[in-house]
Amino acid sequence: MPNQTMPTVPGYTPSTSTVTPADPTWDTPVTYIKNQTPHLIRQNSHKRHLIWLSR
C-alpha cells in the first residue's frame, strides 16, 4: 500500500500529502499542523492591519 493519501481534518494540514506505511498492520503516525488565520486588529477607512496569531 504505497503512497496512501492523508485524511482531511478541517482546520489542519498534514505534514506530508502521502505516506507509505512501514508495517500496514500498525498505525502510522502523521503530524497535522493547525492552520493559521489572520485576525483583524485595527481597521480604519484607509487601511486594514492583519496579524498572524499562533496558538
Side-chain angles (χ1 to χ4, degrees):
M1 291 192 274
N3 297 326
Q4 297 297 303
T5 58
M6 299 296 97
T8 301
V9 178
Y12 291 83
T13 302
S15 59
T16 182
S17 58
T18 61
V19 68
T20 300
D23 182 351
T25 61
W26 288 86
D27 290 339
T28 302
V30 175
T31 303
Y32 280 78
I33 301 163
K34 185 174 172 100
N35 298 338
Q36 293 184 343
T37 55
H39 295 274
L40 185 63
I41 58 169
R42 188 177 134 206
Q43 180 177 358
N44 62 32
S45 60
H46 301 289
K47 296 180 182 177
R48 290 184 178 179
H49 301 277
L50 299 176
I51 187 169
W52 291 100
L53 300 176
S54 50
R55 296 182 184 181

